[in-house]
């Protein structure tokens, strides 16, 4: 692909024309989180641990017809952040580091389970581990680790 083609591809969001441009610009704020999490169910919430499940929807599939890696990473971020709240953290802060190991594919319509466990919450940093599994077999789809900086409140 030539450089100009790559530029056009990225600037148009992978589309060959501008038919979706006006729609995308009119999306509400926080649209991305709702786009990823719509259909997510919380199955368990206890101090330091959250388990959710969802059926992989068509909107989260990549060209190979399985869940897009970016959607997986976003679930690591969002469900992991929710687990931080369960231990009484005043905020979930901002991401410092996130990594995801992709181990298997989750296909459209397949039921997945997302389990987040808090590994540490200190004064300034929180670390969570998140695992995505196929609900029917328990086979691991992805494992992630997320480190967040927690805003320290001023003492002034």
């Amino acid at each position: 692909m030539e450089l100009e083609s790559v530029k056009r591809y990225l600037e148009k969001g992978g589309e060959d024309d501008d038919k979706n441009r006006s729609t995308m610009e009119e999306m509400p704020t926080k649209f991305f989180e709702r786009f990823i999490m719509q259909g997510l169910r919380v199955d368990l919430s206890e101090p330091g641990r959250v388990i959710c499940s969802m059926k992989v929807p068509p909107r989260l599939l990549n060209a190979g017809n399985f869940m897009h890696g970016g959607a997986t990473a976003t679930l690591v971020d969002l469900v992991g952040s929710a687990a931080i709240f369960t231990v009484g953290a005043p905020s979930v802060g901002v991401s410092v580091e996130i990594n995801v190991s992709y181990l298997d594919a989750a296909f459209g319509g397949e039921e997945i389970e997302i389990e987040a466990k808090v590994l540490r919450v200190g004064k300034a940093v929180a670390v969570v581990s998140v695992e995505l599994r196929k609900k029917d077999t328990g086979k691991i789809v992805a494992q992630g680790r997320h480190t967040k900086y927690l805003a320290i409140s001023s003492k002034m």
Side-chain angles (χ1 to χ4, degrees), residues 47-59:
R49 186 170 168 230
V50 172
I51 298 177
C52 299
S53 59
M54 73 185 300
K55 192 174 282 194
V56 178
R59 70 178 181 282

Side-chain angles (χ1 to χ4, degrees), residues 113-138:
E113 185 173 74
I114 305 110
E115 180 175 12
K117 295 179 186 176
V118 173
L119 302 178
R120 179 185 192 285
V121 174
K123 292 179 185 173
V125 174
V127 181
V128 294
S129 173
V130 182
E131 190 169 275
L132 284 79
R133 296 181 292 267
K134 295 182 180 209
K135 199 161 186 174
D136 62 344
T137 65

Side-chain angles (χ1 to χ4, degrees), residues 1-90:
M1 200 180 260
E2 65 192 58
L3 294 177
E4 196 56 38
S5 295
V6 171
K7 180 181 175 188
R8 276 194 314 274
Y9 175 81
L10 290 173
E11 288 177 348
K12 293 184 178 186
E15 296 291 327
D16 290 335
D17 58 35
D18 274 350
K19 66 181 177 188
N20 292 326
R21 180 173 301 280
S22 64
T23 305
M24 294 304 284
E25 290 171 356
E26 294 167 6
M27 292 295 179
T29 56
K30 298 277 187 178
F31 167 78
F32 189 68
E33 287 87 349
R34 290 186 294 226
F35 181 78
I36 298 293
M37 295 192 319
Q38 184 180 5
L40 187 77
R41 295 176 309 279
V42 177
D43 299 327
L44 175 77
S45 180
E46 61 186 24
R49 186 170 168 230
V50 172
I51 298 177
C52 299
S53 59
M54 73 185 300
K55 192 174 282 194
V56 178
R59 70 178 181 282
L60 299 184
L61 301 180
N62 62 17
N65 229 14
F66 52 90
M67 193 158 79
H68 193 285
T72 301
T74 301
L75 286 167
V76 168
D77 180 358
L78 298 173
V79 178
S81 295
I84 293 170
F85 270 132
T86 68
V87 294

